[in-house]
Amino acid sequence: MQRRLVFAMALLLQLSVSLGLGVVVTYGYTHDRAPSGVIAWGRDFSGLSRIQLSSQLKNEIPYAVTYKEHVYPLKKDGSDAEIEAWLDQVFPVKTVIDALNNLARPSVFISPNNIGLNKEEIITQLQSLSKIINKPMRPAMIALLDSRLEKTDGQAGQELDIEGTWQRIMSSYGQKQVEVVVKDVPVLPNFEDVTKIQSILGDYTTYFNPQDVARTKNVRLAAMALNNHLIPPGQEFSFNDVVGERTEAAGYMEASIFAGQSVIKGDGGGVCQDSSTLYQAVRQSRLTIVEKNNHSLPVVYASKGQDATVSYGILDFRFRNDTKGYLLISAKTGEGCLRIRLFGLPDDKHPVLLNPKGYPTLREWDNDIT
């Protein structure tokens, strides 16, 4: 009986030693080996050590982008850090007990969606690269010069498609270099668009006292901002957006403005004559008025209710180009007069203006504001 007990204990001890040795062997083999079924981008990385797997994963990521004959290396510090963080999950074994649990770990599939390039890091580099690749589009232009509409052709531009390039990089694992995606930027407006601008749709003139130096300067500055401005079909025009804020830094001077029922001095006094003159030309062109406000007191350059006051950030004059083509604003000043014309593509709703009009005055029309 005693012999049987000794024999059983010896057998149990031998079994424990064998099992322990097996665990040690298993731990020694698996604690730094990728589990079965680690597949990334169509490749099986099962059984590789962490160092091997880290190296091969990082080698799968493109290291540069190209444009024409130029190669632009990609910094991948953030991407490499993400791979190492993921490997911390693939190789979590810390103890012998964990080694036994590791035997039952499921297969792992790595997709480009959960490991690889750090998007923020790559996008930042592509944004810097876009400054080298991008070429601005040069639009076709039209301007009224010496009573003639002079036209110049435009030139197409190009732009780095940052999101498109990112998507291409993400689908190009295993390639060392990836060609960037570049989009053409078409000419807008093109020469055909500006060629259609031939007819006068609106033409209105108002007058001012050229002896008022400050106010005259303000009227002329606003006219310069408006002159040769193109409005695409369907687009809304904003006087404040085009002319900008009337500040001393922009060259505007203090002149008379209305504040309720009072007349005070303020930067940009007089520019309401530009907006009111433009309003009359817009009326003649039969365009849709989006916003118009009257002055709180009568003005000398427009009939009652026919003015359009503006105040940057508060009151604006806005209208929509309802025509089927581009609209050109011509704004010219002469000795005491302001003439604004709208050139465009006429139609049944917006016919050619045959008889230009202006605010009634005894003085003859000046020839120096063609």
Side-chain angles (χ1 to χ4, degrees):
M1 184 67 179
Q2 188 176 1
R3 288 182 177 181
R4 291 180 180 178
L5 183 59
V6 171
F7 178 76
M9 291 180 65
L11 185 61
L12 181 60
L13 179 61
Q14 183 178 3
L15 181 61
S16 299
V17 171
S18 299
L19 183 59
L21 288 174
V23 169
V24 171
V25 171
T26 300
Y27 175 75
Y29 181 77
T30 65
H31 86 284
D32 193 32
R33 296 289 173 179
S36 174
V38 177
I39 300 173
W41 313 303
R43 292 184 55 191
D44 190 346
F45 294 97
S46 304
L48 295 182
S49 68
R50 174 167 180 151
I51 294 176
Q52 292 172 327
L53 181 52
S54 174
S55 176
Q56 293 196 31
L57 287 176
K58 293 173 183 178
N59 286 336
E60 289 289 307
I61 298 176
Y63 73 87
V65 292
T66 62
Y67 174 64
K68 294 184 176 179
E69 298 178 354
H70 299 281
V71 177
Y72 301 95
L74 292 172
K75 295 180 181 180
K76 302 189 298 179
D77 295 340
S79 301
D80 290 347
E82 287 194 5
I83 289 177
E84 292 300 329
W86 185 86
L87 289 173
D88 288 340
Q89 301 176 26
V90 175
F91 296 88
V93 180
K94 302 297 181 183
T95 66
V96 174
I97 299 301
D98 292 331
L100 291 175
N101 295 331
N102 187 49
L103 296 176
R105 289 166 62 192
S107 298
V108 179
F109 174 76
I110 309 172
S111 72
N113 294 325
N114 57 28
I115 186 173
L117 290 167
N118 180 288
K119 184 173 183 178
E120 181 178 357
E121 178 180 56
I122 299 302
I123 292 296
T124 298
Q125 295 176 75
L126 293 179
Q127 289 172 338
S128 297
L129 182 57
S130 69
K131 298 176 182 179
I132 300 174
I133 294 177
N134 289 0
K135 292 182 180 180
M137 177 272 296
R138 190 178 71 233
M141 302 184 70
I142 183 170
L144 182 65
L145 300 173
D146 298 326
S147 301
R148 295 179 55 188
L149 290 172
E150 299 289 341
K151 298 175 281 291
T152 56
D153 204 352
Q155 184 175 12
Q158 64 181 29
E159 182 179 276
L160 175 63
D161 184 348
I162 293 177
E163 183 62 28
T165 300
W166 163 252
Q167 293 299 330
R168 177 174 288 183
I169 293 173
M170 286 291 290
S171 61
S172 300
Y173 289 96
Q175 299 183 29
K176 299 303 180 183
Q177 300 177 359
V178 176
E179 181 76 13
V180 297
V181 180
V182 177
K183 299 185 297 185
D184 291 330
V185 180
V187 177
L188 193 68
N190 56 40
F191 193 74
E192 182 181 357
D193 292 328
V194 298
T195 300
K196 295 177 181 178
I197 302 173
Q198 297 180 347
S199 303
I200 295 179
L201 306 183
D203 185 347
Y204 201 82
T205 303
T206 57
Y207 302 88
F208 56 85
N209 178 12
Q211 302 304 314
D212 189 338
V213 176
R215 188 179 186 282
T216 297
K217 181 180 181 181
N218 294 339
V219 170
R220 287 178 172 162
L221 280 176
M224 290 172 60
L226 293 170
N227 191 42
N228 294 327
H229 181 78
L230 278 173
I231 309 171
Q235 187 176 95
E236 185 178 293
F237 170 91
S238 163
F239 184 91
N240 284 337
D241 287 349
V242 173
V243 174
E245 189 171 1
R246 280 70 79 180
T247 63
E248 182 180 358
Y252 289 92
M253 302 177 67
E254 283 195 342
S256 298
I257 61 173
F258 295 159
Q261 299 300 307
S262 301
V263 179
I264 63 173
K265 295 289 185 179
D267 288 341
V271 299
C272 291
Q273 181 160 349
D274 298 82
S275 56
S276 296
T277 308
L278 176 60
Y279 164 65
Q280 292 298 331
V282 168
R283 282 187 66 212
Q284 293 172 343
S285 303
R286 303 181 186 179
L287 301 170
T288 299
I289 306 297
V290 179
E291 178 184 353
K292 186 192 86 74
N293 302 279
N294 294 331
H295 285 85
S296 56
L297 295 172
V299 295
V300 298
Y301 51 80
S303 302
K304 183 177 181 181
Q306 298 303 307
D307 58 314
T309 184
V310 290
S311 177
Y312 192 85
I314 302 174
L315 302 175
D316 200 0
F317 170 55
R318 296 181 294 133
F319 64 90
R320 184 176 301 107
N321 177 7
D322 298 321
T323 72
K324 297 180 180 178
Y326 278 79
L327 203 62
L328 172 69
I329 299 177
S330 170
K332 303 283 187 177
T333 57
E335 184 63 27
C337 45
L338 167 66
R339 184 182 188 184
I340 294 184
R341 282 172 280 188
L342 296 179
F343 293 85
L345 180 64
D347 54 38
D348 292 340
K349 184 179 178 181
H350 311 91
V352 175
L353 181 69
L354 299 178
N355 299 308
K357 297 180 180 180
Y359 189 65
T361 179
L362 295 177
R363 58 177 298 162
E364 294 295 326
W365 172 245
D366 290 342
N367 294 322
D368 60 345
I369 61 168
T370 56

